[in-house]
Amino acid sequence: MLIRKRRGWEIPESQVTPEHVFLNRRQILKAAGFGAAGILASRGIGPARADEETIPTADLYPAARNDAYTVERAITDKDINFTYNNFYEFGSHKRIYRDAQDLEIRPWTVEIAGMVDNPKTWDIDDLVRTMGVEERVYRHRCVEAWSMVAPWAGFPLAKLVAAAGPKPDAKYVVFKTFMDPDTARGQRQSWYPWPYIEAMTVAEAMNEMPFLVTGVYGQPLVKQMGAPIRLALPWKYGFKSIKSIVSIEFTDTRPKTFWEEIQPAEYGFWANVNPEVDHPRWSQATEEVLGTDGRVPTQLFNGYGEQVAHLYKDMDQSARSLWM
Ligand SMILES: Nc1nc2c(c(=O)[nH]1)N[C@H]1C(S)=C(S)[C@@H](COP(=O)(O)O)O[C@H]1N2
Ligand SMILES: [Mo]
């Protein structure tokens, strides 16, 4: 029998539906029969693990905290953030942390390409040392209506944009994740449009908030959270914060992003957090803060309106596409 290859829009509902809708973190932990700390200890995965590969810039962590970026919520327990992840390259569920350890993060390069005055392929450690690192505590709001708080270390994307020197006609910045189906088994699932791609406007990229993350919890970034370099865009839904970046390209054409390609009505290009605009399949009014009991109200732009709302002031605020 001929087995037809599935197209993105033919994905069975169970595969596009975030797992969280069916199972929350506590249920998963209970089902596993032991807590996150126990898993970490028994598998030897955790803080020490990132150091097994030689990381020439490990001396930069912990980085000095930039007090301009703190939050009123408690920082999420490290064991939770190390064991509850979305990283579809390693599987479409939350427990990818073991498999993600197979990713080789040295040597690693990040290519700056497209409509810029200074195209360049950076060695990751040259890049990090040149840009320098600071710590910023950001909220993170997943589109699945859970959230966490992480002490990221890294540098503002704006700094890299300045070094790249975008041409006047460049309008978008496109980020790409590695492609390696031998290591990342999720990438053998051919109905997904690999590699993972995300994008924003150049104007957004020059804002103070977008943060290129290379460390977390005072150490080099762990693989399951997107080592060696990922984005943190705290006013947008989490899927915009792309992990394990290998290229950053400037262009005049808006690309179709990974999730937009799969399900444009649910995961759009802008994806700014707005508690009043529900996801087609669930409410965005509240969120489960990982590591706490109960839900809290979600904030417009996830609480970062002061920093970013002006970017969208000339757009139609009633357009659903601004918030999806
Ligand atoms: N390359 C890549 N980046 C990704 C994802 C992914 O599947 N692949 N998932 C996104 C989603 S949906 C979220 S919520 C965050 C999760 O980051 P965390 O695991 O560090 O909490 O990563 C984002 N970046
Ligand atoms: Mo997410």
Side-chain angles (χ1 to χ4, degrees):
M1 196 178 103
L2 233 168
I3 304 207
R4 204 162 47 96
K5 215 165 136 185
R6 282 181 200 278
R7 307 287 316 207
W9 46 269
E10 293 176 294
I11 294 170
E13 184 80 349
S14 64
Q15 282 165 0
V16 256
T17 303
E19 184 189 40
H20 184 79
V21 177
F22 304 111
L23 220 56
N24 71 30
R25 187 187 60 82
R26 281 181 297 273
Q27 290 169 325
I28 293 169
L29 287 182
K30 238 166 78 192
F34 44 112
I39 296 171
L40 289 172
S42 65
R43 305 279 173 176
I45 294 166
R49 190 62 204 233
D51 298 332
E52 281 181 13
E53 237 145 340
T54 309
I55 295 180
T57 40
D59 60 294
L60 297 176
Y61 312 93
R65 184 169 296 178
N66 182 338
D67 289 323
Y69 304 96
T70 54
V71 300
E72 74 296 343
R73 284 180 197 164
I75 290 174
T76 304
D77 187 344
K78 178 165 70 178
D79 289 346
I80 293 174
N81 272 339
F82 280 3
T83 55
Y84 184 88
N85 304 98
N86 271 336
F87 203 165
Y88 276 61
E89 283 80 349
F90 293 99
S92 50
H93 57 88
K94 297 288 181 285
R95 296 287 168 205
I96 54 79
Y97 60 89
R98 268 167 265 143
D99 286 341
Q101 306 313 312
D102 293 340
L103 183 65
E104 285 185 21
I105 56 171
R106 292 295 186 289
W108 190 279
T109 56
V110 181
E111 185 189 11
I112 311 298
M115 303 171 74
V116 291
D117 290 333
N118 309 307
K120 178 175 170 132
T121 297
W122 286 90
D123 167 76
I124 184 67
D125 295 297
D126 287 347
L127 177 65
V128 176
R129 222 173 268 288
T130 302
M131 296 291 151
V133 291
E134 63 182 49
E135 186 173 88
R136 292 187 180 189
V137 180
Y138 277 179
R139 283 186 293 271
H140 173 99
R141 172 58 159 81
C142 176
V143 73
E144 298 161 358
W146 56 264
S147 70
M148 54 91 161
V149 176
W152 301 122
F155 54 90
L157 172 62
K159 219 168 169 173
L160 186 58
V161 173
K167 306 264 192 211
D169 289 343
K171 291 213 165 44
Y172 299 93
V173 191
V174 185
F175 301 79
K176 211 174 276 181
T177 295
F178 68 86
M179 183 69 193
D180 179 7
D182 289 340
T183 306
R185 299 163 58 102
Q187 291 186 329
R188 299 179 202 169
Q189 297 182 310
S190 58
W191 54 89
Y192 286 112
W194 308 111
Y196 200 101
I197 283 173
E198 259 307 335
M200 69 185 87
T201 62
V202 172
E204 289 178 314
M206 287 166 60
N207 182 268
E208 66 184 287
M209 294 311 295
F211 201 50
L212 276 166
V213 172
T214 58
V216 74
Y217 295 101
Q219 65 179 80
L221 190 58
V222 292
K223 295 177 182 183
Q224 61 270 39
M225 294 185 85
I229 186 165
R230 60 92 57 87
L231 266 178
L233 303 173
W235 75 99
K236 291 180 179 286
Y237 289 118
F239 63 86
K240 299 290 294 184
S241 292
I242 183 173
K243 295 177 168 183
S244 304
I245 297 164
V246 295
S247 78
I248 302 177
E249 189 186 347
F250 293 71
T251 163
D252 56 1
T253 318
R254 191 170 115 181
K256 264 246 168 72
T257 55
F258 181 81
W259 284 105
E260 195 185 8
E261 181 87 34
I262 294 167
Q263 199 54 275
E266 301 191 354
Y267 313 102
F269 176 80
W270 299 100
N272 295 310
V273 175
N274 186 340
E276 291 178 9
V277 180
D278 288 340
H279 184 279
R281 290 181 283 132
W282 60 85
S283 165
Q284 295 292 28
T286 65
E287 64 204 53
E288 180 198 356
V289 183
L290 295 186
T292 70
D293 285 317
R295 309 182 71 83
V296 302
T298 288
Q299 301 174 62
L300 185 62
F301 291 113
N302 200 24
Y304 297 99
E306 197 184 314
Q307 290 86 354
V308 301
H310 65 93
L311 290 166
Y312 313 100
K313 67 178 189 319
D314 295 331
M315 296 173 64
D316 176 6
Q317 304 293 303
S318 69
R320 282 182 68 80
S321 60
L322 194 52
W323 314 108
M324 302 291 297

